[in-house]
């Protein structure tokens, strides 16, 4: 019994020793790991804090549109026709390489700058600072894409567009100015507004208008505004109405009292009807420049006038089995667009055009697309004979495009 | 102002009828929900496709989504609630 007790005591003593040794050892190891980990964590913290962007954030994105176009144009007048053919790698009318820079300071300020390299050389698409003033109000200033219709500001970019070409007659409208915009919820519907005041356009001696840049040529400013309405709770339909109006006369020239008034209606429908996604987009606009006397460039002693009224519209539909189970099929999209463009009769550029474009797109991802498009445009000249024109002359232009567009 | 000609009137009325009937048709099958009742994911799915294909949340970092959220609020004229919910969703699903 005594031997057993002794043995038990010894075993107990050994166990106790082993336990203490293990605990001490364990504590030692823990302490060692802790301090090295802590050091590494604090170094990482320092490094992270060193590069943490705080309020200031800069990001760069950008887009490329590159393609090939082959064109055949037939001009017919008084029964005789002439044919011309051309093709261009790069597609001179649509090539574009535009990086875009976005700087954000906190959640109140955003600056956007998009320089662009195209067939016209190096230019700037927009350069704007925005201030997110209060909910529902963004104030902007700089070189703006004016809020007239939806094509220029929302749909023109190659990687957004559904066809390789642009609809005819949608003029670029970018100008130096200030802008106020925002979105407002009204029950289950939504409204949006976008108003701008800018330097404006100048009427050219031939009756066309042109944006004039950073120094205004008269005291008036151009007003451009759009109201958008989304009647459905799921935002799938939007209709918009725009107005642009201002004096386009030059204070120093004989055409000094002309006013230009333009209005537009736009429509956007995007419906998911499983497995398809249906897109319908359209815009119709009219531009009217008040009466003015123009100078014949071929004979400067000869003045003439005409009803300076331009109408243009397009309607585009695209269908994509975007929700198909098949990984290849879901990337294809079919698109078609009908366009109409009527420029002032008896002006130097008078024409009545109809166009039809069809296309097949393959979306490599949400912002990269390869597209095949074909467009036929038929134009009937309305240039007056007095100006050396051939009224009734018919121009048929057929173009086939292969285009690659990416945004990164 | 010149009187509106017949052709234009026909096109306009066709447009009004088509859009009108589409609205009624679609309204009857979409449960009308206010923005405040919708999730960020739903607002993302409904709004971003209005102009281009819907970007996947993994395309950008949370910090970049914050910037893009402000940028797209200006393009799409989203309300602040919509923007915040969509950005929160994109950041969390990222």
């Amino acid at each position: 019994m005594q031997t057993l007790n002794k043995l038990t005591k010894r075993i107990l003593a050994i166990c106790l020793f082993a336990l203490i040794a293990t605990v001490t050892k364990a504590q030692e190891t823990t302490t060692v790991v802790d301090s090295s980990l802590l050091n590494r964590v604090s170094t990482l913290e320092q490094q992270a804090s060193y590069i943490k962007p705080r309020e200031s954030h800069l990001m760069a994105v950008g887009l490329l549109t590159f393609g090939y176009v082959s064109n055949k144009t037939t001009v017919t007048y008084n029964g005789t026709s002439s044919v011309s053919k051309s093709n261009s790698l790069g597609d001179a009318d649509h090539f574009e390489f535009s990086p875009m820079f976005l700087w954000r300071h906190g959640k109140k300020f955003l600056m956007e700058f998009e320089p662009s390299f195209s067939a016209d050389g190096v230019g700037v698409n927009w350069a704007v600072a925005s201030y997110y003033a209060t909910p529902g109000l963004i104030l902007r200033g700089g070189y703006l894409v004016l809020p007239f219709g939806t094509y220029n500001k929302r749909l023109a970019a190659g990687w957004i567009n559904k066809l390789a070409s642009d609809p005819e007659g949608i003029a670029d409208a970018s100008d130096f100015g200030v802008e106020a915009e925002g979105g407002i919820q009204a029950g289950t519907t939504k409204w949006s507004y976008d108003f701008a005041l800018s330097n404006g356009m100048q009427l050219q001696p031939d009756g066309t208008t042109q944006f004039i840049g950073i120094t205004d040529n008269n005291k008036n400013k151009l007003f451009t505004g759009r109201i958008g309405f989304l009647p459905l709770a799921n935002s799938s339909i939007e209709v918009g109405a725009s107005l642009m109006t201002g004096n386009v006369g030059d204070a120093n020239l004989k055409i000094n009292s002309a006013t230009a008034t333009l209005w537009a209606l736009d429509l956007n429908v995007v419906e998911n009807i499983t497995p398809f996604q249906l897109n319908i987009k359209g815009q119709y606009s009219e531009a009217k420049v008040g009466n003015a006397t123009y100078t014949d460039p071929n004979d400067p002693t000869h003045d003439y006038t005409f009803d300076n009224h331009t109408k243009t519209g397009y309607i585009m539909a695209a269908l994509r089995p975007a929700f198909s189970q098949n990984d290849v099929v879901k990337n294809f999209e079919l698109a078609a667009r009908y366009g109409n463009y009527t420029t002032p009769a008896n002006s130097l550029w008078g024409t009545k055009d109809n166009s039809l474009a069809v296309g097949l797109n393959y979306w490599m991802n949400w912002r990269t697309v390869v597209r095949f498009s074909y467009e036929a445009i038929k134009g009937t000249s309305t240039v007056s004979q007095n100006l050396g024109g051939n009224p009734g002359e018919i121009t048929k232009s057929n173009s086939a495009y292969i285009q690659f567009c990416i945004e990164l | 102002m010149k009187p509106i000609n017949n052709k234009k009137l026909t096109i306009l009325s066709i447009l009004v009828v088509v859009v009108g009937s589409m609205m009624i048709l679609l309204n009857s099958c979409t449960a009308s929900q206010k923005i405040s009742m919708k999730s960020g994911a739903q607002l993302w799915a409904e709004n971003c496709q209005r102009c281009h294909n819907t970007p996947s949340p993994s395309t950008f970092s949370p910090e970049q989504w914050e910037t893009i959220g402000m940028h797209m609020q200006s393009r799409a004229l989203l309300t602040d609630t919509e923007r915040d919910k969509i950005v929160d969703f994109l950041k969390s699903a990222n």
Side-chain angles (χ1 to χ4, degrees):
Chain A
M1 198 59 193
Q2 254 190 356
T3 8
L4 193 69
N5 260 345
K6 246 185 193 170
L7 194 68
T8 324
K9 270 183 195 161
R10 271 189 200 153
I11 290 173
L12 268 178
I14 291 168
C15 285
L16 202 66
F17 177 75
L19 191 69
I20 291 169
T22 327
V23 169
T24 329
K25 180 77 186 145
Q27 267 175 353
E28 266 171 23
T29 6
T30 326
T31 337
V32 172
V33 170
D34 260 355
S35 75
S36 84
L37 252 187
L38 279 177
N39 281 340
R40 285 172 64 188
V41 167
S42 96
T43 317
L44 273 175
E45 269 174 358
Q46 274 175 14
Q47 283 172 352
S49 148
Y50 186 74
I51 54 168
K52 192 178 159 198
R54 305 299 193 292
E55 294 285 276
S56 178
H57 306 261
L58 169 67
M59 76 180 275
V61 288
L63 65 89
L64 168 80
T65 299
F66 182 82
Y68 172 80
V69 59
S70 169
N71 173 274
K72 179 182 165 196
T73 302
T74 313
V75 180
T76 311
Y77 185 57
N78 275 346
T80 38
S81 299
S82 65
V83 179
S84 61
K85 288 182 180 175
S86 70
N87 62 55
S88 120
L89 190 63
D91 181 4
D93 285 340
H94 307 100
F95 171 77
E96 180 182 359
F97 181 89
S98 311
M100 176 170 53
F101 303 97
L102 295 166
W103 291 262
R104 167 168 73 81
H105 187 84
K107 292 188 177 182
K108 284 284 183 187
F109 290 97
L110 179 72
M111 301 236 287
E112 299 174 40
F113 178 50
E114 188 173 277
S116 179
F117 174 52
S118 69
D120 299 331
V122 177
V124 171
N125 289 347
W126 61 82
V128 189
S130 305
Y131 173 59
Y132 293 70
T134 55
L137 175 65
I138 306 173
L139 297 172
R140 313 176 83 221
Y143 185 60
L144 311 161
V145 178
L146 296 177
F148 186 74
T150 45
Y151 192 79
N152 281 339
K153 208 170 168 176
R154 298 180 171 186
L155 307 170
W159 67 276
I160 295 180
N161 222 334
K162 304 287 187 194
L163 289 146
S165 58
D166 294 308
E168 269 197 299
I170 297 191
D172 274 341
S174 300
D175 201 5
F176 293 89
V178 289
E179 188 176 20
E181 60 177 29
I184 302 152
Q185 190 195 345
T188 58
T189 69
K190 278 192 302 184
W191 290 87
S192 70
Y193 67 91
D194 193 344
F195 301 133
L197 273 184
S198 65
N199 279 340
M201 300 180 285
Q202 179 175 9
L203 193 58
Q204 303 299 299
D206 66 354
T208 53
T209 49
Q210 210 172 13
F211 281 93
I212 47 160
I214 202 157
T215 2
D216 206 346
N217 66 325
N218 57 33
K219 284 189 200 139
N220 279 277
K221 293 287 164 266
L222 180 76
F223 168 83
T224 310
R226 176 177 179 274
I227 301 276
F229 178 53
L230 293 102
L232 299 189
N234 66 3
S235 301
S236 61
I237 295 183
E238 176 168 5
V239 287
S242 315
L243 179 73
M244 183 188 270
T245 177
N247 192 327
V248 289
D250 188 323
N252 303 314
L253 281 179
K254 68 177 168 184
I255 34 180
N256 59 14
S257 61
T259 303
T261 305
L262 297 84
W263 60 265
L265 294 176
D266 58 75
L267 169 74
N268 185 22
V269 180
V270 182
E271 268 305 323
N272 298 334
I273 313 155
T274 321
F276 292 103
Q277 181 174 76
L278 171 71
N279 251 285
I280 299 174
K281 303 194 191 291
Q283 182 170 318
Y284 178 80
S285 67
E286 292 199 14
K288 182 121 182 69
V289 177
N291 290 338
T293 308
Y294 306 105
T295 315
D296 184 348
N298 304 318
D299 173 9
T301 59
H302 173 221
D303 282 349
Y304 68 103
T305 189
F306 56 87
D307 181 20
N308 199 341
H309 190 180
T310 306
K311 298 181 235 175
T312 180
Y314 81 88
I315 183 98
M316 192 282 309
L319 191 66
R320 174 177 174 189
F323 309 102
S324 155
Q325 300 297 322
N326 185 307
D327 281 343
V328 176
V329 170
K330 71 176 186 195
N331 298 326
F332 280 101
E333 183 173 47
L334 278 172
R337 182 182 68 213
Y338 173 75
N340 211 305
Y341 179 43
T342 309
T343 55
N346 299 320
S347 71
L348 277 169
W349 73 104
T351 176
K352 266 182 170 209
D353 284 10
N354 287 311
S355 65
L356 184 66
V358 289
L360 178 69
N361 300 328
Y362 185 80
W363 291 95
M364 296 165 73
N365 61 44
W366 70 278
R367 49 186 177 159
T368 310
V369 63
V370 178
R371 59 169 63 102
F372 304 90
S373 306
Y374 176 82
E375 183 167 36
I377 305 177
K378 182 185 170 200
T380 309
S381 169
T382 57
V383 178
S384 110
Q385 215 140 20
N386 295 339
L387 294 170
N390 300 331
E393 181 179 81
I394 292 177
T395 306
K396 282 185 181 168
S397 155
N398 298 291
S399 309
Y401 300 86
I402 302 175
Q403 195 178 63
F404 172 75
C405 306
I406 187 166
E407 199 274 346
L408 275 185
Chain B
M1 197 77 202
K2 271 200 295 185
I4 294 185
N5 65 32
N6 265 340
K7 202 173 136 200
K8 217 184 292 171
L9 208 68
T10 326
I11 296 176
L12 264 178
S13 32
I14 292 175
L15 209 74
V16 169
V17 172
V18 168
V19 174
S21 42
M22 255 170 139
M23 274 167 50
I24 294 164
L25 190 83
L26 296 169
N27 232 345
S28 56
C29 45
T30 38
S32 294
Q33 243 187 330
K34 287 198 171 151
I35 295 169
S36 54
M37 288 157 64
K38 291 185 186 179
S39 69
Q42 188 180 352
L43 290 167
W44 160 77
E46 288 176 354
N47 280 281
C48 308
Q49 63 173 13
R50 281 163 44 204
C51 297
H52 47 67
N53 296 315
T54 310
S56 121
S58 64
T59 321
F60 293 101
S61 70
E63 181 217 339
Q64 290 174 318
W65 279 127
E66 201 75 58
T67 306
I68 292 163
M70 286 172 73
H71 192 213
M72 285 306 117
Q73 180 179 21
S74 161
R75 284 298 173 281
L77 301 176
L78 304 171
T79 65
D80 284 45
T81 320
E82 283 177 311
R83 180 199 63 190
D84 292 345
K85 284 190 165 192
I86 293 172
V87 168
D88 284 349
F89 161 73
L90 288 165
K91 289 192 326 196
S92 66
N94 167 266

